[in-house]
Structures are given as structure tokens and as C-alpha cells.
């Protein structure tokens, strides 16, 4: 299927909710709305649309393509993990950043290094909207205090690319931090916008197993016995590793409701993943300069302040990490390839099942993302015959029972991050 506007991509459930189409539309005819059971979705003013197709050009939901990997990448990891120059494990040298961050604070520490030592103008990333703590908004941080204000993973819809113009309008290079699909949207936007391209100094991705919808957060709060309007602050994790999910109640008594990370993510939020996340081939930021996530192979002690698994994917990323370590912003040591595999077994399993899911959807006549350079068939071959049959059958069952054969009707929803 050939898409001409981003609303057609939304209709077939292939939107990732990154917001790049909003930033790219030359006539400002696109806005984001939050549809609780779907995610942040663009709404196009069809009457004013010039049908230029620029929103489709930057969309990460319909096509991802790798260039041939260079000889410096780790050979045994290319098929399942993309281009990788080095693997490190460590943490932010600043104890406050390490504690507040979700997994050792390496991404925040690298961003701070770029601000303080590399003369970067700012960091475009995601944070909580202070007056509406269930919503995420793009943030442009210029100081350590601003970075700390927005630390911690946000397991709900977020659209950092909505404000790519903040990078484009900056006086010097900037850091971008986002999910893997956000980084793909950034790269596509750079390819069509030279003035943006020259201002992107470093792209950092966080690992992602899928973005839960706002409905997932509502369910989480219901289990905690908190109404959405009662929430004064919501942290999904952080303040230790992996940290507790914490909802603070509005008012002067400081009442707090909590559940563990395993209960919140494993028991609730991962059941509310967005449709397009089921079809994702890139969970570890393969288009970023540096990607950070959790080294889950570790046995986590109750008082553990956190560790980061750091994947270096480009020469720019390699140089930046080396400088940050020498400057004392990051403490890290080189790791071998097995650490990545042992740390992210669930992401590897998702990659191996993807070819079968896409094949079944194509057989049923559904539009699916187009992937080049991801070795999906070779990953699929790693599954047993039983696993392949279960994957195909499960996908077919969901297509029928969940009505995926039909496009979604347009929603207006609530206003998004604007």
C-alpha cells in the first residue's frame, strides 16, 4: 500500500506516535491527540492539507532501512542487534543522576557532558508535564537541574520529535534522546532537512519493549486505588534500580501509593502495548549514536543504585563516550557480546518472531512495515518448528478477533502534548 498522508498510516495502525509529522508539515496542518487505547496520533486538517507527502517521508512506522554495516561492527551481533562497535557497562559518575535515572543514568550523564564540556545548546527529550503529571511533553534542557527534573522512564505515549524545530533553531549542536522509533524519525527528518541535520550533535536511544497506551496508566492507577485526577506526581521507575512505580497523591499529607517494577511493567503495562510496537524490528536504537538500557543479567540487590548497558553504534558515539569517561561523567568498562544477549532475552525473542508475524499479515492482505537490512528471515530460522507455528497461528487469531482487517475510523481524542 502506498501512503500519501499520515492519517492513512494511522488508519492502518502503523503510527508510532513520534510527532515528526507535526514538526515537518510546512503548513502546520497536523496536531497530536491522545487516544487512550491507541497512543498519541496525528490529526490532519484535510481541508488545508497541500498533499506534499512530507509527513510520510519522515514517518518511522512504514519503512526502516539499514545501510551495509562496516567492518568495524561486531560480526556475531549484526543479525539480531544491528551495527555495534562496542559494548560497555557502567553508570553516571554523579550519584544523584545515577539514583534518579532508570538504569544507571548513563544517557543523562552523556547529555550533561555534551552540555558542559562540548558546548551543546541543549537536550531535546521527554518529561512530565508538571501541571498534568500523566502526560508527557517534549523538553529542551540546558542545565543539570533541568535534566534531573525530567529523569526516569515514561511508560506512556511520548512524542519528542514534535519539537524538532527546537534543535533546528538552536545556536549550536544539540543532543536528542528518544525511543528507537523516535531516533529513526529524527534520522529521516535530518535526511530531508539540512538545517536540522547540521544541528544534531548526538542521538541517544533508550531500549524499548513497546510503549504502553494511556489506558495502561489508567489501569495501573486503578490497581493502586488512585483516580487520575488525584495524581500529583507519577514515576514509573527510577530512584534506585529498577525502582518502584510511585504515585503521589495531591494535597499536603504526601500520601504515596507504590508497586514494584515487576508488578507494574510485567503485570500491567506490557499488556497495553501499542499495535505498531508488535511489529517493531528495532528495540535497541540501531540508528542512534549510542543506545542505553538495562543489564538484566545482573542479580539486583535491593539497594542497587543502578547500572547502564551502553551500546556504541557510530564513530561519533564512540568518541563521545570515550571523552565522557575521561572527563569523569561516566564510569564504565568494556563488556563482551554475551552480556547483551543475556541482558535482553525478551527483545531477542521478539526479533525472532517478527518475520512470521509480518508474513501472516501480508498473507491476509494487511499493510506492514517494510524492513531492509534487519535479517528477519535468518532470525526467524532460530525458532523451533513449534514456535513458528504458534507465532503464525497467534497472529492469525489476533487479526481475526481484533478486527485488524479493517482500517480504524478517525478519532479526535484529547489534545496531545501541545
Amino acid at each position: 500500500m502506498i501512503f500519501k498522508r499520515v492519517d492513512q498510516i494511522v488508519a492502518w495502525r502503523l503510527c508510532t506516535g513520534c510527532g515528526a509529522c507535526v514538526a515537518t508539515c510546512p503548513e502546520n496542518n497536523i496536531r497530536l491527540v491522545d487516544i487512550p487505547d491507541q497512543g498519541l496520533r496525528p490529526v490532519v486538517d484535510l481541508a488545508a492539507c497541500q498533499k506534499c507527502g512530507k509527513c510520510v517521508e519522515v514517518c518511522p512506522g512504514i519503512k526502516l532501512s539499514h545501510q551495509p554495516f562496516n567492518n568495524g561492527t561486531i560480526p556475531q551481533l549484526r543479525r539480531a542487534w544491528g551495527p555495534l562497535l562496542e559494548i560497555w557497562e557502567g553508570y553516571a559518575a554523579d550519584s544523584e543522576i545515577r539514583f534518579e535515572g532508570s538504569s544507571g543514568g548513563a544517557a543523562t550523564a552523556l547529555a550533561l557532558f555534551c552540555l558542559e564540556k562540548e558546548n551543546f545548546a541543549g537536550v531535546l527529550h521527554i518529561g512530565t508535564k508538571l501541571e498534568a503529571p500523566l502526560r508527557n511533553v517534549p523538553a529542551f534542557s540546558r542545565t543539570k537541574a533541568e535534566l534531573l527534573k525530567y529523569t526516569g522512564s515514561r511508560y506512556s505515549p511520548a512524542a519528542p520529535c514534535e519539537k524538532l524545530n527546537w534543535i533546528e533553531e538552536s545556536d549550536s549542536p544539540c543532543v536528542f534522546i528518544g525511543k528507537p522509533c523516535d531516533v529513526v524519525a529524527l534520522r529521516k527528518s535530518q535526511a530531508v532537512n539540512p538545517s536540522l541535520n547540521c544541528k544534531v550533535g548526538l542521538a541517544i536511544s533508550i531500549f524499548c519493549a513497546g510503549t504502553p497506551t494511556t489506558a495502561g496508566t489508567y489501569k495501573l492507577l486503578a490497581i493502586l486505588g488512585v483516580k487520575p485526577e488525584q495524581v500529583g506526581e507519577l514515576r514509573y521507575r527510577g530512584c534506585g534500580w529498577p525502582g518502584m512505580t510511585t504515585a503521589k497523591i495531591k494535597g499536603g499529607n504526601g500520601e504515596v501509593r507504590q508497586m514494584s517494577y515487576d508488578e507494574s511493567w510485567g503485570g500491567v503495562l506490557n499488556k497495553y502495548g501499542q499495535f505498531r510496537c508488535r511489529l517493531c524490528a528495532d528495540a535497541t536504537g540501531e540508528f542512534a549514536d549510542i543506545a542505553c538500557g538495562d543489564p538484566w543479567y545482573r542479580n539486583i540487590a535491593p539497594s542497587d543504585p543502578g547500572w547502564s548497558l551502553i551500546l556504541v553504534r557510530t564513530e561519533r558515539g564512540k568518541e563521545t563516550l570515550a571523552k565522557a569517561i575521561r572527563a569523569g561523567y561516566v564510569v564504565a568498562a568494556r563488556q563482551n557480546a554475551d552480556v547483551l544477549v543475556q541482558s535482553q532475552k525478551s527483545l531477542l525473542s521478539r526479533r525472532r518472531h517478527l518475520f512470521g508475524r509480518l508474513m501472516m499479515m501480508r498473507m491476509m492482505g494487511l499493510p506492514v512495515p517494510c524492513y531492509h537490512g534487519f535479517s528477519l528471515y535468518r532470525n526467524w530460522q532460530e525458532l523451533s518448528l513449534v514456535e513458528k507455528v504458534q507465532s503464525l497461528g497467534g497472529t492469525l487469531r489476533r487479526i481475526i478477533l481484533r478486527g485488524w482487517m479493517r482500517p480504524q475510523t478517525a478519532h479526535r481524542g484529547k489534545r496531545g502534548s501541545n
Side-chain angles (χ1 to χ4, degrees):
M1 179 177 291
I2 298 176
F3 296 106
K4 297 182 179 180
R5 296 189 314 268
V6 73
D7 60 297
Q8 298 169 338
I9 297 172
V10 172
W12 284 106
R13 305 171 183 85
L14 298 182
C15 174
T16 69
C18 69
C21 53
V22 177
T24 302
C25 180
E27 303 297 329
N28 296 316
N29 291 328
I30 303 176
R31 62 185 178 91
L32 291 180
V33 299
D34 184 14
I35 303 172
D37 63 347
Q38 295 179 29
L40 286 172
R41 296 293 177 259
V43 174
V44 181
D45 183 346
L46 297 179
C49 178
Q50 300 298 310
K51 300 179 178 61
C52 64
K54 291 184 177 181
C55 58
V56 176
E57 287 185 61
V58 300
C59 178
I62 56 175
K63 184 177 181 180
L64 282 77
S65 298
H66 270 307
Q67 298 298 319
F69 303 150
N70 64 49
N71 292 330
T73 56
I74 302 173
Q76 66 266 38
L77 295 180
R78 293 171 187 164
R79 181 190 307 176
W81 306 97
L84 266 168
L85 300 180
E86 297 175 346
I87 300 174
W88 293 73
E89 186 179 358
Y91 50 85
D94 185 294
S95 59
E96 186 178 13
I97 291 176
R98 185 182 185 186
F99 179 74
E100 294 281 341
S102 292
S103 53
T108 302
L110 287 165
L112 182 61
F113 165 75
C114 290
L115 289 177
E116 294 185 345
K117 299 300 182 181
E118 298 291 288
N119 298 315
F120 278 35
V123 181
L124 178 58
H125 58 130
I126 281 296
T128 306
K129 188 169 187 177
L130 299 182
E131 65 273 24
L134 302 189
R135 285 172 56 186
N136 301 319
V137 291
F140 195 74
S141 294
R142 298 177 176 86
T143 66
K144 175 184 174 182
E146 290 176 341
L147 285 171
L148 280 169
K149 184 167 66 174
Y150 297 117
T151 56
S153 297
R154 300 293 300 172
Y155 293 129
S156 56
C161 294
E162 181 185 6
K163 296 298 182 182
L164 287 177
N165 61 293
W166 290 349
I167 293 180
E168 184 179 356
E169 295 163 4
S170 64
D171 296 327
S172 57
C174 299
V175 178
F176 178 90
I177 303 177
K179 305 182 298 296
C181 56
D182 299 328
V183 174
V184 173
L186 169 72
R187 298 310 195 195
K188 288 192 170 192
S189 298
Q190 288 179 254
V192 298
N193 187 346
S195 61
L196 170 67
N197 183 50
C198 68
K199 295 294 178 65
V200 177
L202 186 73
I204 301 174
S205 176
I206 55 174
F207 295 3
C208 182
T211 300
T213 63
T214 300
T217 295
Y218 291 159
K219 180 64 175 179
L220 193 70
L221 293 174
I223 294 172
L224 290 171
V226 180
K227 296 179 180 179
E229 61 271 19
Q230 294 178 305
V231 178
E233 181 182 342
L234 178 64
R235 285 190 69 103
Y236 292 88
R237 58 179 294 199
C239 296
W241 186 48
M244 300 288 287
T245 298
T246 304
K248 293 185 179 180
I249 309 300
K250 291 178 181 177
N253 60 2
E255 184 181 356
V256 169
R257 307 281 177 85
Q258 291 185 314
M259 70 171 64
S260 71
Y261 172 77
D262 286 341
E263 291 171 325
S264 63
W265 173 256
V268 181
L269 293 172
N270 71 359
K271 296 177 174 61
Y272 287 84
Q274 300 180 45
F275 174 87
R276 176 58 178 78
C277 297
R278 300 173 183 271
L279 308 181
C280 180
D282 177 15
T284 57
E286 297 182 25
F287 294 85
D289 297 304
I290 294 174
C292 298
D294 293 283
W296 291 127
Y297 79 95
R298 285 181 170 270
N299 293 317
I300 304 173
S303 59
D304 200 318
W307 293 79
S308 297
L309 192 61
I310 307 168
L311 309 184
V312 176
R313 295 196 174 276
T314 67
E315 290 296 334
R316 178 180 293 184
K318 181 178 179 179
E319 180 183 1
T320 301
L321 178 61
K323 287 182 177 179
I325 292 173
R326 289 197 299 268
Y329 283 77
V330 175
V331 177
R334 289 286 293 272
Q335 281 287 12
N336 58 50
D338 289 340
V339 167
L340 173 56
V341 177
Q342 294 302 314
S343 295
Q344 298 293 333
K345 294 179 180 179
S346 64
L347 298 186
L348 179 59
S349 176
R350 288 163 62 100
R351 176 85 158 228
R352 288 174 173 172
H353 281 81
L354 184 54
F355 177 84
R357 291 177 181 174
L358 297 175
M359 178 172 64
M360 178 56 70
M361 294 182 71
R362 288 192 182 98
M363 290 171 60
M364 298 299 290
L366 295 174
V368 296
C370 181
Y371 293 113
H372 294 292
F374 285 86
S375 301
L376 295 184
Y377 178 67
R378 295 181 68 186
N379 279 282
W380 165 257
Q381 289 178 310
E382 298 292 331
L383 297 178
S384 68
L385 178 59
V386 172
E387 289 174 316
K388 290 175 182 175
V389 172
Q390 289 175 338
S391 180
L392 292 170
T395 300
L396 177 60
R397 183 176 64 255
R398 286 188 288 271
I399 289 172
I400 296 171
L401 295 180
R402 299 183 184 182
W404 293 347
M405 292 290 293
R406 300 181 299 276
Q408 297 174 129
T409 55
H411 289 266
R412 295 302 171 187
K414 295 180 181 179
R415 187 70 183 224
S417 56
N418 285 341

